[in-house]
Amino acid sequence: MIINWEKYTHELTDKEKKIVPRVIQGIVKRVSKRMIITNAQMCEQLTKEGHKISGPRLRKILNFIRSESIIRNIVASSDGYYIATTQKDLDDYRESINA
């Protein structure tokens, strides 16, 4: 949790944990940059399905999926999320988060 950002960075709620399988189901199809999806698109789709969620909380769910190694190689860019298929994509992502 980040101090002064607790509203956005607290641990997943039980309700959010129930959404994790649906997020996994959606992101697992996004293999390579060609299949990129934005945070807003994911939030919109989840909301249509009855899972109202904010952008920051969706990022927290994706962080959970990454940190628990549920899906490997999920990367994010200013264009959205996808599963990296090349070492260059992974290296670029790692560099961006370490900058």
Side-chain angles (χ1 to χ4, degrees):
M1 187 172 349
I2 301 173
I3 298 191
N4 296 324
W5 291 89
E6 293 86 353
K7 177 179 176 183
Y8 303 106
T9 61
H10 60 83
E11 294 303 316
L12 295 181
T13 65
D14 289 340
K15 185 177 176 183
E16 290 166 339
K17 287 178 184 175
K18 290 178 182 176
I19 299 172
V20 170
R22 177 61 187 101
V23 174
I24 291 168
Q25 181 184 30
I27 199 74
V28 77
K29 299 173 186 175
R30 302 300 176 154
V31 179
S32 86
K33 283 183 182 178
R34 303 181 287 110
M35 301 293 292
I36 206 160
I37 186 167
T38 67
N39 186 294
Q41 288 170 321
M42 285 190 277
C43 287
E44 182 180 337
Q45 182 61 39
L46 289 166
T47 298
K48 284 180 185 177
E49 296 173 11
H51 308 290
K52 181 132 177 74
I53 189 164
S54 68
R57 295 311 296 165
L58 180 59
R59 285 191 291 278
K60 185 69 175 183
I61 289 172
L62 287 161
N63 178 271
F64 171 82
I65 292 168
R66 265 194 216 104
S67 65
E68 296 295 315
S69 298
I70 297 169
I71 300 176
R72 295 189 180 274
N73 302 336
I74 297 175
V75 299
S77 72
S78 58
D79 296 323
Y81 295 93
Y82 64 98
I83 298 173
T85 57
T86 68
Q87 189 61 47
K88 181 177 179 354
D89 286 348
L90 289 171
D91 293 343
D92 289 348
Y93 175 66
R94 285 186 189 109
E95 185 177 323
S96 75
I97 61 173
N98 290 323

